[in-house]
Amino acid sequence: MVKWLEGIGNDEDVVVSTRLRLARNMANYRFPYFMTKDESEALTEEILNGMKDNVYDIPYKFYRIRDLSDIEKNVFVEKHLISPNLAKKADSGSFLIRNDERATIMINEEDHIRIQVLLPGLDFEEGWKISSKIDDFLEGKVEYAYHEQFGYLTSCPTNVGTGLRASVMVHLPCLSMTGHINTIIEGITKIGLTVRGIYGEGTKASGYLFQISNQTTIGESEKEIIKKLNRVVLQIISRERSTRAYMLDKRNHQIEDMIFRSLGILKYGRIISSQEAMNHLSNVKLGCDLGMIDNIDSKDIVNLMIKIQPASLQKTLNKELTYEERDVYRAKLIRENIRSLEG
Amino acid sequence: MLCEKCNKNNATIHFTKIINGQVEERHLCETCAKENNELEFNFEVPFSFEKLFTGLIDSIQEDPGKRKDITCPKCGLTYKKFQEVGKFGCAKCYEVFRKDISSLVKGIHGHNTHQGKVPIKTKDKVIQKKAIESLKMELEKSIEKEDFERAAYLRDEINRLREKLGEI
């Protein structure tokens, strides 16, 4: 299983993961967009040197984007360990991943430093604790760009202040099927929050998975931002749950039929695209969370959702595949996995 | 009206060119206008988020055209360039363009003053600055009282703290 998914999180029937990201820059270097290669090398060295003393935390492993193959770097993206934007920074980008995969320090993404903490289920408090601790440590090692009025300075003014983007990935099949999701999205955007696809800015929602995050980063403290987001997420969880209960009550046969048809396709299909697979896996996950499918753990389905993504799929085979080959191999991988999960 | 260049399509683009006082009216179809680079602007301008938020600042200033461009002395970024790319060049830019950034950040976030975490180092600096201020007040009092021994001690103490802060 993807390491960061391991363990038990809160409200996992609806919330897949909690993510916190802190954007930081160093005072003595130009920001990444305007940096020369030499400057980015020197900055990377400085951060690595600082991290050497980080004996109190779990060990980290260092990777440079330019040393990774296309497949390898996209596997990190698909596992949500690095951003798609960092994967594109072949000349200057690098990252440190904590051995439990719950924390990543991205170097030379849009900002010099981006600290990311990823946890299973809903847990902003723990996420903030971990990310703030890494932040405090780094601050002791390098000179941060901080301004008395604007707070932590960032490349783009949309991140300035706290530099904090807190988000949750939620699975909302029933709110989506009933169309209630649209009202929720509309309401969320009115209060300084935003809804994105599962791979961040500009990506589409897939398998009824949505990412909800704060849009504004200055004017409220980190704790206030997190508190507000947490409150909204708790409301969405309870709405999704009540819609599930309602649908079970009123449309039991239809829901059951949908879930088991999806399971059937996953168990016996021979060609499947990642989009189609995501939709059926989403239905099966709902079946697990509703207790209709009791011999599969819902978390294994989330893990499978990552394993079937194009790069991860090719990584298991250790070779590049054409689109057609991918769909055939994906169907095979899903069949085998479901069979072994069912025991 | 037909396009004055190809005389086939309808002229949908009408504009007046004034170069050194010479007025010239042109009526072209879209294809001819595109081919002849008659118009400087792009027909299919992709939607740019940077343009959208940097546009916020243009509407706040009275006459953006007449405004003198400022350059950051540390990284060389001009405000015009920032408006194009939507990214700052370095930490110093925030000080150099502070006034513009204040209204820009307010436009984006609804606020422009940070309320959250303060780096531990900065926190220490604030505490030390306050300590210096109170020592200075005490120094003035000792001079008034003609307690010069005490004043000399306070002066050295202030200098020591200022040196620690990197002010001297």
Side-chain angles (χ1 to χ4, degrees):
Chain A
M1 185 171 317
V2 175
K3 266 196 199 153
W4 62 264
L5 262 175
E6 287 170 10
I8 296 164
N10 308 315
D11 304 301
E12 283 187 301
D13 55 331
V14 181
V15 183
V16 174
S17 61
T18 300
R19 194 180 72 109
L20 279 95
R21 184 222 70 195
L22 293 173
R24 298 289 185 255
N25 282 285
M26 281 155 74
N28 306 322
Y29 292 88
R30 282 190 280 187
F31 292 166
Y33 195 81
F34 298 94
M35 250 178 160
T36 64
K37 204 166 176 227
D38 287 349
E39 284 171 323
S40 72
E41 288 296 317
L43 176 134
T44 309
E45 276 308 308
E46 205 180 321
I47 296 171
L48 284 180
N49 266 331
M51 285 299 287
K52 270 187 196 148
D53 306 334
N54 192 19
V55 288
Y56 307 103
D57 201 355
I58 301 164
Y60 286 74
K61 200 169 172 208
F62 177 67
Y63 299 89
R64 280 179 200 277
I65 298 294
R66 62 166 177 260
D67 297 337
L68 299 172
S69 70
D70 279 349
I71 289 180
E72 284 170 325
K73 58 190 173 201
N74 285 319
V75 168
F76 283 109
V77 175
E78 290 172 358
K79 286 161 97 177
H80 302 277
L81 296 172
I82 64 170
S83 67
N85 192 23
L86 183 74
K88 285 185 208 139
K89 295 282 191 96
D91 47 339
S92 58
S94 57
F95 55 99
L96 286 144
I97 289 188
R98 207 168 77 168
N99 281 355
D100 63 355
E101 293 188 349
R102 292 187 171 199
T104 311
I105 300 166
M106 290 178 251
I107 304 171
N108 291 328
E109 210 247 24
E110 189 182 279
D111 296 296
H112 291 147
I113 300 168
R114 284 195 165 188
I115 301 165
Q116 172 188 282
V117 170
L118 191 60
L119 300 171
L122 179 66
D123 203 346
F124 282 119
E125 207 173 305
E126 180 68 9
W128 170 244
K129 226 165 51 191
I130 299 174
S131 53
S132 189
K133 202 174 150 197
I134 298 170
D135 182 42
D136 289 343
F137 176 81
L138 273 174
E139 189 226 312
K141 296 288 165 191
V142 300
E143 176 89 23
Y144 271 173
Y146 182 85
H147 189 277
E148 49 185 277
Q149 181 192 346
F150 299 122
Y152 292 94
L153 304 181
T154 52
S155 276
C156 184
T158 51
N159 295 313
V160 79
T162 57
L164 171 68
R165 187 86 61 213
S167 65
V168 280
M169 200 200 291
V170 281
H171 185 228
L172 306 174
C174 289
L175 287 174
S176 304
M177 283 186 267
T178 53
H180 293 326
I181 189 75
N182 297 322
T183 334
I184 289 174
I185 290 176
E186 226 171 85
I188 280 172
T189 48
K190 278 183 193 152
I191 51 169
L193 303 178
T194 178
V195 182
R196 298 169 210 254
I198 55 167
Y199 288 104
E201 210 170 324
T203 62
K204 271 197 342 205
S206 168
Y208 299 136
L209 289 165
F210 301 87
Q211 242 190 98
I212 302 170
S213 60
N214 62 307
Q215 177 80 299
T216 57
T217 53
I218 191 168
E220 282 173 307
S221 72
E222 293 85 353
K223 292 223 167 104
E224 286 169 326
I225 292 172
I226 287 167
K227 214 168 127 192
K228 181 160 101 182
L229 192 53
N230 197 52
R231 249 194 334 243
V232 171
V233 172
L234 286 175
Q235 267 186 48
I236 293 174
I237 294 171
S238 93
R239 293 255 199 111
E240 170 66 25
R241 281 182 187 149
S242 61
T243 316
R244 284 180 191 182
Y246 177 84
M247 286 173 83
L248 265 188
D249 186 32
K250 304 279 179 205
R251 297 268 185 280
N252 192 297
H253 293 306
Q254 284 92 333
I255 292 282
E256 204 178 13
D257 180 63
M258 178 192 82
I259 288 166
F260 284 97
R261 272 171 190 267
S262 283
L263 184 61
I265 289 169
L266 294 175
K267 268 164 96 169
Y268 300 107
R270 288 301 192 263
I271 299 171
I272 195 160
S273 70
S274 58
Q275 191 56 51
E276 191 191 354
M278 282 301 277
N279 293 339
H280 293 305
L281 286 168
S282 168
N283 289 342
V284 170
K285 176 168 161 44
L286 177 66
C288 300
D289 292 328
L290 289 174
M292 280 183 180
I293 300 172
D294 54 9
N295 53 353
I296 299 177
D297 184 354
S298 153
K299 205 165 228 180
D300 288 317
I301 299 298
V302 175
N303 191 45
L304 200 47
M305 283 174 162
I306 294 170
K307 270 167 102 175
I308 55 133
Q309 297 299 324
S312 304
L313 191 73
Q314 295 176 79
K315 180 88 194 293
T316 33
L317 267 191
N318 219 353
K319 66 171 190 180
E320 282 187 41
L321 300 172
T322 64
Y323 284 103
E324 263 180 64
E325 288 171 332
R326 271 184 225 172
D327 291 352
V328 171
Y329 185 70
R330 181 178 293 113
K332 184 167 177 273
L333 183 101
I334 295 173
R335 285 198 310 272
E336 290 169 357
N337 269 274
I338 299 269
R339 208 170 300 144
S340 83
L341 289 174
E342 281 184 326
Chain B
M1 184 190 286
L2 285 179
C3 167
E4 59 185 40
K5 212 148 206 160
C6 63
N7 280 317
K8 279 183 207 152
N9 305 327
N10 263 334
T12 50
I13 294 168
H14 311 273
F15 62 99
T16 310
K17 265 198 331 199
I18 308 170
I19 299 167
N20 295 331
Q22 287 243 323
V23 182
E24 193 186 340
E25 275 194 17
R26 307 295 305 267
H27 308 280
L28 298 169
C29 68
E30 202 172 307
T31 324
C32 288
K34 258 190 205 174
E35 270 175 14
N36 294 291
N37 290 329
E38 281 285 2
L39 295 169
E40 292 270 311
F41 57 82
N42 193 341
F43 283 90
E44 289 135 53
V45 186
F47 176 76
S48 149
F49 181 60
E50 279 78 18
K51 280 266 168 356
L52 179 74
F53 74 67
T54 51
L56 278 171
I57 196 80
D58 289 340
S59 59
I60 295 160
Q61 277 140 19
E62 293 150 17
D63 191 350
K66 275 189 188 162
R67 187 170 179 276
K68 221 178 114 197
D69 203 14
I70 317 170
T71 308
C72 171
K74 194 168 172 211
C75 68
L77 183 82
T78 63
Y79 198 73
K80 271 215 177 92
K81 179 80 184 165
F82 162 69
Q83 285 178 306
E84 258 170 53
V85 299
K87 307 256 193 307
F88 292 113
C90 68
K92 182 91 183 158
C93 291
Y94 275 90
E95 201 49 61
V96 180
F97 312 127
R98 184 172 184 162
K99 250 182 87 183
D100 291 318
I101 294 176
S102 266
S103 33
L104 173 64
V105 169
K106 183 137 195 170
I108 297 169
H109 299 274
H111 295 273
N112 57 17
T113 309
H114 178 55
Q115 301 289 345
K117 195 174 173 178
V118 177
I120 300 160
K121 276 187 210 157
T122 314
K123 238 191 258 170
D124 290 349
K125 268 186 195 169
V126 173
I127 293 167
Q128 285 191 24
K129 272 187 180 164
K130 277 189 180 151
I132 292 174
E133 284 312 304
S134 76
L135 285 176
K136 275 183 182 167
M137 272 158 65
E138 209 185 314
L139 175 66
E140 276 171 33
K141 273 182 201 157
S142 356
I143 293 171
E144 269 171 33
K145 280 193 245 164
E146 299 189 355
D147 182 355
F148 296 115
E149 204 178 323
R150 175 81 184 146
Y153 165 77
L154 289 168
R155 182 202 59 208
D156 291 346
E157 193 58 22
I158 289 167
N159 283 342
R160 194 184 62 83
L161 283 178
R162 286 182 64 196
E163 202 168 347
K164 216 170 138 192
L165 268 179
E167 283 184 3
I168 304 171

